[in-house]
Amino acid sequence: ALARGRLSEDGSALEGVEPLFRVNFDKQRGYHFGGRILFLDDGTLLLTLGEGAQYFQEAQNLDNHLGTIVRLNDDGSVPFDNPYVSADGAQPEIWSYGHRNVQGIARNPITGSVWELEHGARGGDEINILEAGTNYGWPEITYGINYDGTIITEDREREGLAQPIWYWNPSIAPSGMMFYTGDRFPHWQGDLFVSALAGSKIERLEV
């Protein structure tokens, strides 16, 4: 779910909290939330939504929000130019789908493109460049396997499904992500920093 409120003057509470959006699927267990927010230059925002782990097949199902990134106006309404706003049987908020559990989202300061970082299973953590209406493949394609060692799919790529621009195997358990725009380290300008829960480390990727 997504809500907005205003921080009180003394910083102790949120006031006037207003629900804006809620996933249209009643998950029974608390796994793979997503939950990252990025505001775009046009005033809309992107919200990442996990596929709920046990409901992983729903990431390919456009009639619910699991395993998607949704695009909303800042009041929770649907932008008129979303890719599925007029598609029969699809949720109009959906911007992209086929995601597992997106835990990082950031705008490239040089190109303006939006990049996302998501957990694979046992292997297959990946970075993608987001494009409206694109299917990023989970669980039809993946570079990982199940935690018990069984196969999720034999396919690493398939026509019509986007390939990651980078993936990790073994997994690093990714968390936040940001592009470096500071001036203290000029040779890092535009590079991508990824935090990893596995190994408690930060990785820098040259872009």
Side-chain angles (χ1 to χ4, degrees):
L2 179 72
R4 67 178 176 185
R6 183 175 295 276
L7 191 64
S8 62
E9 287 192 14
D10 63 3
S12 66
L14 282 176
E15 300 174 340
V17 175
E18 174 189 5
L20 299 179
F21 168 82
R22 190 175 185 85
V23 170
N24 71 332
F25 194 101
D26 186 18
K27 295 192 298 181
Q28 298 301 309
R29 301 181 69 184
Y31 295 115
H32 297 188
F33 297 106
R36 303 292 187 175
I37 300 170
L38 177 69
F39 282 91
L40 303 179
D41 290 339
D42 62 3
T44 65
L45 63 89
L46 299 176
L47 169 66
T48 74
L49 301 168
E51 35 72 292
Q54 69 193 85
Y55 309 104
F56 65 98
Q57 295 290 349
E58 298 296 331
Q60 291 294 317
N61 187 357
L62 288 171
D63 71 5
N64 68 67
H65 299 109
L66 296 190
T68 70
I69 294 176
V70 298
R71 177 172 171 253
L72 305 166
N73 293 315
D74 64 4
D75 62 358
S77 62
V78 179
F80 73 93
D81 56 348
N82 271 4
Y84 299 105
V85 74
S86 299
D88 290 341
Q91 295 302 311
E93 297 89 354
I94 294 175
W95 182 253
S96 62
Y97 67 108
H99 300 288
R100 187 170 183 267
N101 184 17
V102 177
Q103 287 297 309
I105 188 167
R107 186 186 295 105
N108 185 314
I110 297 172
T111 67
S113 58
V114 176
W115 295 34
E116 62 92 354
L117 170 70
E118 64 185 84
H119 285 272
R122 186 172 161 186
D125 300 341
E126 62 185 45
I127 296 174
N128 295 289
I129 297 178
L130 283 183
E131 294 185 9
T134 299
N135 183 349
Y136 289 89
W138 175 257
E140 299 299 313
I141 59 172
T142 180
Y143 287 91
I145 59 176
N146 283 314
Y147 295 110
D148 62 6
T150 57
I151 301 299
I152 299 168
T153 173
E154 297 287 353
D155 293 339
R156 302 293 177 262
E157 58 184 73
R158 190 182 297 177
E159 186 176 356
L161 304 181
Q163 279 289 297
I165 62 167
W166 185 263
Y167 70 89
W168 288 267
N169 207 340
S171 292
I172 63 167
S175 183
M177 177 175 70
M178 62 166 287
F179 287 91
Y180 183 75
T181 58
D183 55 12
R184 184 178 293 271
F185 305 102
H187 58 292
W188 286 357
Q189 276 285 341
D191 285 354
L192 189 65
F193 282 78
V194 171
S195 59
L197 303 174
S200 301
K201 62 184 178 180
I202 296 175
E203 294 196 0
R204 177 174 65 91
L205 291 85
E206 293 182 345
V207 177

